[in-house]
Amino acid sequence: MIVPLWMSHAVRGTATATSSLPIWMAFQETNMCRCGVSMPSCVSSKLANGQPRGNNNWALQSSFQQFSTKSQASTSSSIGSAGESPLLRNSTLDVENKATGVELAMSRNGLDPTVNRFHAPIVNHEHYSFSDWPPNHTFPMDKFERLAHALQTTCKATHPHASPLPRPLVRSEKDFFRPLDMSDVPWAWFAEPTGPIEVDFLTRFLQGDLTETERRYIGFREQTSRPELIRRTVLEVAGTVLAAQLAYKYGIASNVAGGTHHAHRTMGAGYTILNDLAITANFLTDETLNGGSVRGVQKVLVIDCDVHQGDGTAKFGDLGNGRLSTLSIHCASNYPRLKAHSTYDIGLRDGCTDDVYMESLKTNVNKALDEVKPDFVLYDAGVDVYTNDKLGRLNVSEKGIHLRDRWVLETCVSKGIPVAAVVGGGYDKDVDALARRHAIVHEECAYVWRKHNMWKRV
């Protein structure tokens, strides 16, 4: 039997039991919520009505229903024995992708890339979005669900002015690769010392126990403790990890979410809580952590084209030994007011147009690629550069976004550098129009996939 990734360290005796546990159990010390209700019942109730209950210390998600004091005790006693831990139930890290021979961190396989001649691998989870989100909130929580829908419906026949495609990019929900469910996501990906996130902050977030100041800085305020938000935050990271694994094998892949670039080691900010880019870069460059599913990646370059500086990613530094480099091309006057120091920072003036944007992008990305010589690129394709974006300040057209995404993806693939794309930021009262804008990066991944016959590369 193949040992799941979250158990592999403990089996080899190279990590503590805590770092080997799935994320939802690693910090657990009791089965009672502070609201006085048994924890499985409390969490089930919270997810059922979509609202926090009591003090919400155990604001997690429905996979907790299987948890009990007994199972926790048996886990502690059997964590070092492969195949015996009750936490192995529903684990999918031991499912080998037969086409590639690589273990992928997924809960469902997507359309086999070796026979898919229309689009690159795309990762999606139905819980990236959830219902009962405040309708007037600046952050459009339903955009991920609408993006997945747009990918399955948008074509020349349905949107003649928005798409040249003869058919929708994705034919079925089952064609998406689905990341791990929260119950199977490894704690070790996230938490120090194996991951890049401070244990105290991570634990308090997962317990729904951040301070009012921390929640306000994130921007979600009282919503931050909702079980659905906690779940989708973890799933979003898992999705970027899976997209990176797929890109490593096939050359290019994308996630329907991701790009949480304001979050850093000890806190979240700007509608982001856990930095998927830093966590994924750390995963890619640690062969022990990734279980050998990715080999030979020593340097990752983040190319961040969101309109806001990727200050959180920059604050992770190089992850030690030059493993991470960051390039941020952003509106100089926009959030955050106090900028961090990326490896490469390109601050653009308000009102920057397509031509100026592309000239600056090409010059600086080519420089970064030549100097860093990355083994892997993570691409944040934020569409808040769009001229009418609520939080943008630049004057880039949708055609300009197409040109930008195609050039970045084509440049990486032509140089033999695997690239995984995430959607980044975008803000518009018309969320369907925003979703179609976010679809651009997936369409351009598909263009590059077809142009280079990338399904033949395995």
Side-chain angles (χ1 to χ4, degrees), residues 375-406:
D375 304 303
F376 199 101
V377 165
L378 294 172
Y379 175 46
D380 185 338
V383 297
D384 41 12
V385 296
Y386 178 59
T387 184
N388 291 325
D389 190 272
K390 286 172 60 178
L391 304 181
R393 300 187 188 174
L394 297 187
N395 192 23
V396 177
S397 67
E398 289 191 351
K399 179 181 178 181
I401 295 173
H402 273 283
L403 292 172
R404 178 197 71 178
D405 291 351
R406 181 173 297 188

Side-chain angles (χ1 to χ4, degrees), residues 85-212:
S85 170
L87 295 182
L88 280 171
R89 74 173 179 283
N90 300 326
S91 177
T92 51
L93 281 168
D94 60 344
V95 178
E96 185 174 338
N97 185 313
K98 302 302 181 184
T100 67
V102 173
E103 294 176 14
L104 297 175
M106 64 185 178
S107 58
R108 188 191 67 224
N109 220 330
L111 182 62
D112 183 354
T114 64
V115 299
N116 182 359
R117 299 190 176 192
F118 199 64
H119 65 81
I122 305 174
V123 176
N124 181 50
H125 197 290
E126 67 273 15
H127 292 314
Y128 283 166
S129 292
F130 57 88
S131 60
D132 299 320
W133 187 250
N136 295 322
H137 199 289
T138 302
F139 187 88
M141 187 60 72
D142 58 343
K143 74 174 183 178
F144 310 103
E145 179 182 18
R146 297 200 196 193
L147 169 55
H149 178 73
L151 292 172
Q152 297 174 76
T153 58
T154 302
C155 62
K156 191 172 183 179
T158 60
H159 297 85
H161 301 295
S163 175
L165 296 176
R167 46 150 275 202
L169 192 66
V170 179
R171 289 189 183 274
S172 165
E173 172 69 27
K174 293 182 179 179
D175 289 352
F176 292 117
F177 286 81
R178 188 176 185 269
L180 294 175
D181 289 313
M182 185 173 174
S183 57
D184 296 311
V185 176
W187 171 264
W189 288 2
F190 295 75
E192 294 174 336
T194 51
I197 309 299
E198 183 191 59
V199 172
D200 176 68
F201 168 68
L202 177 62
T203 301
R204 289 186 298 107
F205 165 64
L206 292 171
Q207 291 176 338
D209 212 19
L210 296 182
T211 67
E212 181 180 354

